[in-house]
Amino acid sequence: MAKAPQRHRSRWRHEIASFGYALQGIREALLSEPHLRFHALATAAVVALGFWLRVPRHDWALLALAVGAVWTAELLNTAVETIIDLVSPDFHPLAGRAKDVAAGAVLLMALAAVVVGLLVLGPPLWAKALALSSQR
């Protein structure tokens, strides 16, 4: 069997390395951003509740999209804040405005995710709570 040309092998190495860089970025954000650690705990709680409530597959898809969107918004917010700190180390009203808008995007996405969570997890959680209270 013929070997792949060197150019193709180096391209694959580059692609694999880019995944490593992305994972390193997520790791660094988790270590440095308290809000992202909160989102990690919230994600764990949502996953645990989803398993406990045995939510259907299509509901898992909604939860995964909501969680992924919040994480994405938080990571982008972290990137925006980092770039602004680099280019404008001193206070500037436009830098503050950009940071506030990026943080607002995270808040908006987090609120939307809470609504998704309530719509998906609320009814089965309420049913489970009623079933447990009727057993007493």
mmCIF file of all heavy atoms in Angstrom, residues 77-125:
data_model
loop_
_atom_site.group_PDB
_atom_site.id
_atom_site.type_symbol
_atom_site.label_atom_id
_atom_site.label_comp_id
_atom_site.label_asym_id
_atom_site.label_seq_id
_atom_site.Cartn_x
_atom_site.Cartn_y
_atom_site.Cartn_z
ATOM 1 N N ASN A 77 -17.373 35.618 24.827
ATOM 2 C CA ASN A 77 -17.265 36.759 25.729
ATOM 3 C C ASN A 77 -15.864 36.833 26.330
ATOM 4 O O ASN A 77 -15.270 37.914 26.406
ATOM 5 C CB ASN A 77 -18.320 36.658 26.837
ATOM 6 C CG ASN A 77 -18.233 37.806 27.820
ATOM 7 O OD1 ASN A 77 -18.265 38.965 27.438
ATOM 8 N ND2 ASN A 77 -18.100 37.474 29.096
ATOM 9 N N THR A 78 -15.326 35.698 26.731
ATOM 10 C CA THR A 78 -13.972 35.660 27.281
ATOM 11 C C THR A 78 -12.958 36.116 26.236
ATOM 12 O O THR A 78 -12.038 36.887 26.545
ATOM 13 C CB THR A 78 -13.639 34.236 27.779
ATOM 14 O OG1 THR A 78 -14.578 33.886 28.804
ATOM 15 C CG2 THR A 78 -12.228 34.149 28.320
ATOM 16 N N ALA A 79 -13.129 35.666 25.002
ATOM 17 C CA ALA A 79 -12.216 36.076 23.932
ATOM 18 C C ALA A 79 -12.315 37.579 23.675
ATOM 19 O O ALA A 79 -11.291 38.260 23.530
ATOM 20 C CB ALA A 79 -12.531 35.298 22.654
ATOM 21 N N VAL A 80 -13.532 38.106 23.633
ATOM 22 C CA VAL A 80 -13.717 39.550 23.422
ATOM 23 C C VAL A 80 -13.051 40.340 24.543
ATOM 24 O O VAL A 80 -12.323 41.316 24.293
ATOM 25 C CB VAL A 80 -15.226 39.891 23.320
ATOM 26 C CG1 VAL A 80 -15.471 41.383 23.444
ATOM 27 C CG2 VAL A 80 -15.803 39.369 22.018
ATOM 28 N N GLU A 81 -13.288 39.938 25.784
ATOM 29 C CA GLU A 81 -12.688 40.658 26.919
ATOM 30 C C GLU A 81 -11.163 40.587 26.884
ATOM 31 O O GLU A 81 -10.487 41.571 27.182
ATOM 32 C CB GLU A 81 -13.220 40.102 28.232
ATOM 33 C CG GLU A 81 -14.666 40.481 28.491
ATOM 34 C CD GLU A 81 -15.168 40.035 29.848
ATOM 35 O OE1 GLU A 81 -14.445 39.298 30.557
ATOM 36 O OE2 GLU A 81 -16.289 40.436 30.200
ATOM 37 N N THR A 82 -10.622 39.443 26.507
ATOM 38 C CA THR A 82 -9.169 39.291 26.437
ATOM 39 C C THR A 82 -8.573 40.203 25.367
ATOM 40 O O THR A 82 -7.564 40.879 25.599
ATOM 41 C CB THR A 82 -8.804 37.818 26.162
ATOM 42 O OG1 THR A 82 -9.359 37.005 27.194
ATOM 43 C CG2 THR A 82 -7.301 37.622 26.102
ATOM 44 N N ILE A 83 -9.196 40.245 24.211
ATOM 45 C CA ILE A 83 -8.706 41.103 23.125
ATOM 46 C C ILE A 83 -8.805 42.570 23.525
ATOM 47 O O ILE A 83 -7.872 43.354 23.283
ATOM 48 C CB ILE A 83 -9.480 40.821 21.822
ATOM 49 C CG1 ILE A 83 -9.114 39.439 21.291
ATOM 50 C CG2 ILE A 83 -9.198 41.894 20.775
ATOM 51 C CD1 ILE A 83 -10.007 38.953 20.169
ATOM 52 N N ILE A 84 -9.913 42.945 24.148
ATOM 53 C CA ILE A 84 -10.070 44.342 24.569
ATOM 54 C C ILE A 84 -9.017 44.715 25.602
ATOM 55 O O ILE A 84 -8.439 45.808 25.540
ATOM 56 C CB ILE A 84 -11.503 44.594 25.093
ATOM 57 C CG1 ILE A 84 -12.481 44.531 23.914
ATOM 58 C CG2 ILE A 84 -11.593 45.933 25.814
ATOM 59 C CD1 ILE A 84 -13.925 44.526 24.324
ATOM 60 N N ASP A 85 -8.741 43.818 26.542
ATOM 61 C CA ASP A 85 -7.698 44.095 27.537
ATOM 62 C C ASP A 85 -6.329 44.241 26.874
ATOM 63 O O ASP A 85 -5.495 45.026 27.334
ATOM 64 C CB ASP A 85 -7.649 42.981 28.587
ATOM 65 C CG ASP A 85 -8.857 43.009 29.512
ATOM 66 O OD1 ASP A 85 -9.574 44.030 29.542
ATOM 67 O OD2 ASP A 85 -9.082 41.991 30.194
ATOM 68 N N LEU A 86 -6.105 43.506 25.808
ATOM 69 C CA LEU A 86 -4.832 43.596 25.093
ATOM 70 C C LEU A 86 -4.686 44.929 24.363
ATOM 71 O O LEU A 86 -3.666 45.599 24.480
ATOM 72 C CB LEU A 86 -4.701 42.442 24.098
ATOM 73 C CG LEU A 86 -3.474 42.457 23.191
ATOM 74 C CD1 LEU A 86 -2.203 42.227 24.018
ATOM 75 C CD2 LEU A 86 -3.609 41.392 22.110
ATOM 76 N N VAL A 87 -5.706 45.316 23.629
ATOM 77 C CA VAL A 87 -5.600 46.518 22.797
ATOM 78 C C VAL A 87 -5.916 47.804 23.544
ATOM 79 O O VAL A 87 -5.544 48.886 23.094
ATOM 80 C CB VAL A 87 -6.467 46.417 21.521
ATOM 81 C CG1 VAL A 87 -6.041 45.247 20.671
ATOM 82 C CG2 VAL A 87 -7.936 46.357 21.850
ATOM 83 N N SER A 88 -6.609 47.692 24.672
ATOM 84 C CA SER A 88 -6.971 48.894 25.430
ATOM 85 C C SER A 88 -6.782 48.629 26.927
ATOM 86 O O SER A 88 -7.751 48.489 27.665
ATOM 87 C CB SER A 88 -8.428 49.265 25.131
ATOM 88 O OG SER A 88 -8.792 50.443 25.813
ATOM 89 N N PRO A 89 -5.510 48.569 27.371
ATOM 90 C CA PRO A 89 -5.270 48.264 28.781
ATOM 91 C C PRO A 89 -5.801 49.347 29.728
ATOM 92 O O PRO A 89 -6.189 49.053 30.849
ATOM 93 C CB PRO A 89 -3.754 48.136 28.889
ATOM 94 C CG PRO A 89 -3.200 48.682 27.629
ATOM 95 C CD PRO A 89 -4.286 48.738 26.614
ATOM 96 N N ASP A 90 -5.835 50.585 29.263
ATOM 97 C CA ASP A 90 -6.414 51.668 30.067
ATOM 98 C C ASP A 90 -7.910 51.738 29.781
ATOM 99 O O ASP A 90 -8.381 51.323 28.725
ATOM 100 C CB ASP A 90 -5.759 53.009 29.722
ATOM 101 C CG ASP A 90 -4.270 53.018 30.052
ATOM 102 O OD1 ASP A 90 -3.887 52.362 31.049
ATOM 103 O OD2 ASP A 90 -3.509 53.657 29.309
ATOM 104 N N PHE A 91 -8.638 52.296 30.730
ATOM 105 C CA PHE A 91 -10.089 52.394 30.541
ATOM 106 C C PHE A 91 -10.414 53.275 29.343
ATOM 107 O O PHE A 91 -9.832 54.338 29.144
ATOM 108 C CB PHE A 91 -10.782 52.961 31.782
ATOM 109 C CG PHE A 91 -12.260 53.147 31.562
ATOM 110 C CD1 PHE A 91 -13.111 52.060 31.612
ATOM 111 C CD2 PHE A 91 -12.779 54.399 31.263
ATOM 112 C CE1 PHE A 91 -14.465 52.213 31.384
ATOM 113 C CE2 PHE A 91 -14.135 54.561 31.032
ATOM 114 C CZ PHE A 91 -14.979 53.468 31.090
ATOM 115 N N HIS A 92 -11.342 52.787 28.546
ATOM 116 C CA HIS A 92 -11.887 53.569 27.451
ATOM 117 C C HIS A 92 -13.374 53.259 27.387
ATOM 118 O O HIS A 92 -13.773 52.090 27.501
ATOM 119 C CB HIS A 92 -11.205 53.209 26.125
ATOM 120 C CG HIS A 92 -11.551 54.154 25.019
ATOM 121 N ND1 HIS A 92 -12.753 54.102 24.354
ATOM 122 C CD2 HIS A 92 -10.855 55.183 24.483
ATOM 123 C CE1 HIS A 92 -12.793 55.052 23.446
ATOM 124 N NE2 HIS A 92 -11.641 55.732 23.501
ATOM 125 N N PRO A 93 -14.227 54.280 27.219
ATOM 126 C CA PRO A 93 -15.677 54.027 27.220
ATOM 127 C C PRO A 93 -16.115 53.004 26.160
ATOM 128 O O PRO A 93 -17.007 52.193 26.422
ATOM 129 C CB PRO A 93 -16.289 55.397 26.929
ATOM 130 C CG PRO A 93 -15.235 56.389 27.211
ATOM 131 C CD PRO A 93 -13.914 55.697 27.094
ATOM 132 N N LEU A 94 -15.485 53.033 24.999
ATOM 133 C CA LEU A 94 -15.872 52.069 23.961
ATOM 134 C C LEU A 94 -15.460 50.646 24.334
ATOM 135 O O LEU A 94 -16.170 49.686 24.025
ATOM 136 C CB LEU A 94 -15.263 52.455 22.615
ATOM 137 C CG LEU A 94 -15.847 53.713 21.972
ATOM 138 C CD1 LEU A 94 -15.105 54.030 20.679
ATOM 139 C CD2 LEU A 94 -17.334 53.548 21.715
ATOM 140 N N ALA A 95 -14.324 50.510 25.003
ATOM 141 C CA ALA A 95 -13.897 49.184 25.469
ATOM 142 C C ALA A 95 -14.888 48.659 26.501
ATOM 143 O O ALA A 95 -15.285 47.487 26.450
ATOM 144 C CB ALA A 95 -12.489 49.257 26.050
ATOM 145 N N GLY A 96 -15.284 49.516 27.412
ATOM 146 C CA GLY A 96 -16.280 49.116 28.411
ATOM 147 C C GLY A 96 -17.602 48.744 27.779
ATOM 148 O O GLY A 96 -18.246 47.768 28.176
ATOM 149 N N ARG A 97 -17.998 49.507 26.777
ATOM 150 C CA ARG A 97 -19.255 49.222 26.082
ATOM 151 C C ARG A 97 -19.192 47.863 25.388
ATOM 152 O O ARG A 97 -20.135 47.071 25.449
ATOM 153 C CB ARG A 97 -19.533 50.323 25.067
ATOM 154 C CG ARG A 97 -20.808 50.150 24.309
ATOM 155 C CD ARG A 97 -21.047 51.340 23.411
ATOM 156 N NE ARG A 97 -22.171 51.100 22.543
ATOM 157 C CZ ARG A 97 -22.424 51.793 21.460
ATOM 158 N NH1 ARG A 97 -21.625 52.783 21.118
ATOM 159 N NH2 ARG A 97 -23.467 51.517 20.725
ATOM 160 N N ALA A 98 -18.086 47.582 24.709
ATOM 161 C CA ALA A 98 -17.936 46.296 24.021
ATOM 162 C C ALA A 98 -17.998 45.136 25.017
ATOM 163 O O ALA A 98 -18.643 44.112 24.752
ATOM 164 C CB ALA A 98 -16.625 46.271 23.238
ATOM 165 N N LYS A 99 -17.329 45.300 26.158
ATOM 166 C CA LYS A 99 -17.364 44.240 27.176
ATOM 167 C C LYS A 99 -18.784 44.049 27.708
ATOM 168 O O LYS A 99 -19.239 42.914 27.916
ATOM 169 C CB LYS A 99 -16.415 44.576 28.323
ATOM 170 C CG LYS A 99 -14.955 44.378 27.998
ATOM 171 C CD LYS A 99 -14.119 44.664 29.235
ATOM 172 C CE LYS A 99 -12.682 44.284 29.049
ATOM 173 N NZ LYS A 99 -11.919 44.405 30.300
ATOM 174 N N ASP A 100 -19.489 45.156 27.942
ATOM 175 C CA ASP A 100 -20.859 45.065 28.451
ATOM 176 C C ASP A 100 -21.788 44.385 27.454
ATOM 177 O O ASP A 100 -22.634 43.569 27.828
ATOM 178 C CB ASP A 100 -21.394 46.456 28.794
ATOM 179 C CG ASP A 100 -20.702 47.085 29.985
ATOM 180 O OD1 ASP A 100 -19.984 46.365 30.714
ATOM 181 O OD2 ASP A 100 -20.873 48.308 30.180
ATOM 182 N N VAL A 101 -21.627 44.705 26.175
ATOM 183 C CA VAL A 101 -22.467 44.090 25.150
ATOM 184 C C VAL A 101 -22.184 42.588 25.065
ATOM 185 O O VAL A 101 -23.111 41.772 24.973
ATOM 186 C CB VAL A 101 -22.255 44.789 23.782
ATOM 187 C CG1 VAL A 101 -22.911 43.997 22.655
ATOM 188 C CG2 VAL A 101 -22.812 46.208 23.831
ATOM 189 N N ALA A 102 -20.909 42.213 25.118
ATOM 190 C CA ALA A 102 -20.554 40.786 25.065
ATOM 191 C C ALA A 102 -21.124 40.054 26.283
ATOM 192 O O ALA A 102 -21.648 38.941 26.155
ATOM 193 C CB ALA A 102 -19.042 40.617 24.987
ATOM 194 N N ALA A 103 -21.035 40.671 27.448
ATOM 195 C CA ALA A 103 -21.596 40.061 28.655
ATOM 196 C C ALA A 103 -23.116 39.978 28.553
ATOM 197 O O ALA A 103 -23.729 39.001 29.006
ATOM 198 C CB ALA A 103 -21.183 40.856 29.888
ATOM 199 N N GLY A 104 -23.733 40.978 27.947
ATOM 200 C CA GLY A 104 -25.180 40.956 27.741
ATOM 201 C C GLY A 104 -25.605 39.802 26.847
ATOM 202 O O GLY A 104 -26.658 39.188 27.067
ATOM 203 N N ALA A 105 -24.784 39.488 25.852
ATOM 204 C CA ALA A 105 -25.087 38.354 24.976
ATOM 205 C C ALA A 105 -25.089 37.043 25.765
ATOM 206 O O ALA A 105 -25.949 36.183 25.555
ATOM 207 C CB ALA A 105 -24.072 38.293 23.827
ATOM 208 N N VAL A 106 -24.140 36.911 26.683
ATOM 209 C CA VAL A 106 -24.094 35.704 27.525
ATOM 210 C C VAL A 106 -25.337 35.644 28.406
ATOM 211 O O VAL A 106 -25.974 34.582 28.526
ATOM 212 C CB VAL A 106 -22.822 35.675 28.402
ATOM 213 C CG1 VAL A 106 -22.846 34.482 29.353
ATOM 214 C CG2 VAL A 106 -21.576 35.649 27.544
ATOM 215 N N LEU A 107 -25.692 36.762 29.014
ATOM 216 C CA LEU A 107 -26.871 36.791 29.881
ATOM 217 C C LEU A 107 -28.126 36.419 29.104
ATOM 218 O O LEU A 107 -28.940 35.604 29.569
ATOM 219 C CB LEU A 107 -27.029 38.176 30.514
ATOM 220 C CG LEU A 107 -28.254 38.373 31.391
ATOM 221 C CD1 LEU A 107 -28.225 37.426 32.589
ATOM 222 C CD2 LEU A 107 -28.352 39.823 31.839
ATOM 223 N N LEU A 108 -28.279 36.978 27.915
ATOM 224 C CA LEU A 108 -29.447 36.675 27.096
ATOM 225 C C LEU A 108 -29.511 35.186 26.746
ATOM 226 O O LEU A 108 -30.561 34.549 26.851
ATOM 227 C CB LEU A 108 -29.412 37.525 25.825
ATOM 228 C CG LEU A 108 -30.650 37.494 24.946
ATOM 229 C CD1 LEU A 108 -31.858 38.027 25.701
ATOM 230 C CD2 LEU A 108 -30.404 38.316 23.695
ATOM 231 N N MET A 109 -28.374 34.612 26.367
ATOM 232 C CA MET A 109 -28.349 33.190 26.020
ATOM 233 C C MET A 109 -28.609 32.332 27.247
ATOM 234 O O MET A 109 -29.308 31.315 27.159
ATOM 235 C CB MET A 109 -27.000 32.834 25.388
ATOM 236 C CG MET A 109 -26.971 31.466 24.735
ATOM 237 S SD MET A 109 -28.138 31.306 23.376
ATOM 238 C CE MET A 109 -29.342 30.205 24.076
ATOM 239 N N ALA A 110 -28.062 32.724 28.388
ATOM 240 C CA ALA A 110 -28.290 31.958 29.616
ATOM 241 C C ALA A 110 -29.770 31.982 30.006
ATOM 242 O O ALA A 110 -30.323 30.952 30.425
ATOM 243 C CB ALA A 110 -27.420 32.498 30.747
ATOM 244 N N LEU A 111 -30.415 33.132 29.861
ATOM 245 C CA LEU A 111 -31.851 33.216 30.165
ATOM 246 C C LEU A 111 -32.660 32.349 29.209
ATOM 247 O O LEU A 111 -33.606 31.666 29.634
ATOM 248 C CB LEU A 111 -32.325 34.668 30.118
ATOM 249 C CG LEU A 111 -31.795 35.574 31.225
ATOM 250 C CD1 LEU A 111 -32.206 37.026 30.979
ATOM 251 C CD2 LEU A 111 -32.277 35.103 32.593
ATOM 252 N N ALA A 112 -32.295 32.350 27.938
ATOM 253 C CA ALA A 112 -32.979 31.486 26.973
ATOM 254 C C ALA A 112 -32.781 30.014 27.337
ATOM 255 O O ALA A 112 -33.710 29.206 27.231
ATOM 256 C CB ALA A 112 -32.469 31.764 25.553
ATOM 257 N N ALA A 113 -31.571 29.656 27.792
ATOM 258 C CA ALA A 113 -31.301 28.276 28.196
ATOM 259 C C ALA A 113 -32.116 27.891 29.429
ATOM 260 O O ALA A 113 -32.574 26.749 29.543
ATOM 261 C CB ALA A 113 -29.807 28.080 28.457
ATOM 262 N N VAL A 114 -32.307 28.831 30.337
ATOM 263 C CA VAL A 114 -33.140 28.561 31.515
ATOM 264 C C VAL A 114 -34.577 28.274 31.077
ATOM 265 O O VAL A 114 -35.213 27.335 31.585
ATOM 266 C CB VAL A 114 -33.087 29.744 32.510
ATOM 267 C CG1 VAL A 114 -34.189 29.641 33.555
ATOM 268 C CG2 VAL A 114 -31.721 29.808 33.180
ATOM 269 N N VAL A 115 -35.069 29.036 30.116
ATOM 270 C CA VAL A 115 -36.425 28.795 29.607
ATOM 271 C C VAL A 115 -36.507 27.400 28.983
ATOM 272 O O VAL A 115 -37.453 26.648 29.245
ATOM 273 C CB VAL A 115 -36.842 29.895 28.594
ATOM 274 C CG1 VAL A 115 -38.128 29.528 27.878
ATOM 275 C CG2 VAL A 115 -36.983 31.238 29.302
ATOM 276 N N VAL A 116 -35.511 27.033 28.166
ATOM 277 C CA VAL A 116 -35.484 25.696 27.579
ATOM 278 C C VAL A 116 -35.461 24.643 28.687
ATOM 279 O O VAL A 116 -36.207 23.657 28.638
ATOM 280 C CB VAL A 116 -34.276 25.517 26.633
ATOM 281 C CG1 VAL A 116 -34.105 24.058 26.232
ATOM 282 C CG2 VAL A 116 -34.424 26.396 25.401
ATOM 283 N N GLY A 117 -34.624 24.856 29.691
ATOM 284 C CA GLY A 117 -34.546 23.909 30.799
ATOM 285 C C GLY A 117 -35.868 23.757 31.530
ATOM 286 O O GLY A 117 -36.282 22.643 31.866
ATOM 287 N N LEU A 118 -36.537 24.879 31.775
ATOM 288 C CA LEU A 118 -37.832 24.811 32.445
ATOM 289 C C LEU A 118 -38.879 24.095 31.591
ATOM 290 O O LEU A 118 -39.677 23.303 32.109
ATOM 291 C CB LEU A 118 -38.320 26.219 32.802
ATOM 292 C CG LEU A 118 -37.555 26.923 33.921
ATOM 293 C CD1 LEU A 118 -38.015 28.373 34.048
ATOM 294 C CD2 LEU A 118 -37.721 26.182 35.238
ATOM 295 N N LEU A 119 -38.867 24.368 30.287
ATOM 296 C CA LEU A 119 -39.836 23.725 29.399
ATOM 297 C C LEU A 119 -39.578 22.225 29.254
ATOM 298 O O LEU A 119 -40.519 21.434 29.181
ATOM 299 C CB LEU A 119 -39.814 24.393 28.022
ATOM 300 C CG LEU A 119 -40.382 25.809 27.962
ATOM 301 C CD1 LEU A 119 -40.104 26.443 26.601
ATOM 302 C CD2 LEU A 119 -41.873 25.811 28.263
ATOM 303 N N VAL A 120 -38.308 21.853 29.232
ATOM 304 C CA VAL A 120 -37.968 20.442 29.033
ATOM 305 C C VAL A 120 -38.006 19.667 30.345
ATOM 306 O O VAL A 120 -38.573 18.571 30.422
ATOM 307 C CB VAL A 120 -36.580 20.312 28.359
ATOM 308 C CG1 VAL A 120 -36.085 18.879 28.390
ATOM 309 C CG2 VAL A 120 -36.635 20.829 26.930
ATOM 310 N N LEU A 121 -37.383 20.221 31.373
ATOM 311 C CA LEU A 121 -37.249 19.483 32.640
ATOM 312 C C LEU A 121 -38.389 19.758 33.618
ATOM 313 O O LEU A 121 -38.648 18.938 34.508
ATOM 314 C CB LEU A 121 -35.912 19.840 33.301
ATOM 315 C CG LEU A 121 -34.656 19.508 32.503
ATOM 316 C CD1 LEU A 121 -33.420 20.054 33.195
ATOM 317 C CD2 LEU A 121 -34.544 18.011 32.286
ATOM 318 N N GLY A 122 -39.054 20.896 33.471
ATOM 319 C CA GLY A 122 -40.108 21.273 34.407
ATOM 320 C C GLY A 122 -41.248 20.272 34.513
ATOM 321 O O GLY A 122 -41.557 19.791 35.616
ATOM 322 N N PRO A 123 -41.914 19.940 33.403
ATOM 323 C CA PRO A 123 -43.054 19.014 33.502
ATOM 324 C C PRO A 123 -42.695 17.647 34.097
ATOM 325 O O PRO A 123 -43.392 17.179 35.004
ATOM 326 C CB PRO A 123 -43.553 18.912 32.051
ATOM 327 C CG PRO A 123 -43.138 20.214 31.441
ATOM 328 C CD PRO A 123 -41.810 20.542 32.071
ATOM 329 N N PRO A 124 -41.613 16.970 33.634
ATOM 330 C CA PRO A 124 -41.333 15.681 34.270
ATOM 331 C C PRO A 124 -40.876 15.822 35.723
ATOM 332 O O PRO A 124 -41.155 14.945 36.551
ATOM 333 C CB PRO A 124 -40.230 15.061 33.407
ATOM 334 C CG PRO A 124 -39.658 16.170 32.615
ATOM 335 C CD PRO A 124 -40.719 17.209 32.496
ATOM 336 N N LEU A 125 -40.224 16.923 36.044
ATOM 337 C CA LEU A 125 -39.810 17.144 37.433
ATOM 338 C C LEU A 125 -41.039 17.367 38.304
ATOM 339 O O LEU A 125 -41.134 16.826 39.416
ATOM 340 C CB LEU A 125 -38.855 18.337 37.519
ATOM 341 C CG LEU A 125 -38.229 18.613 38.871
ATOM 342 C CD1 LEU A 125 -37.416 17.421 39.358
ATOM 343 C CD2 LEU A 125 -37.342 19.856 38.796
#
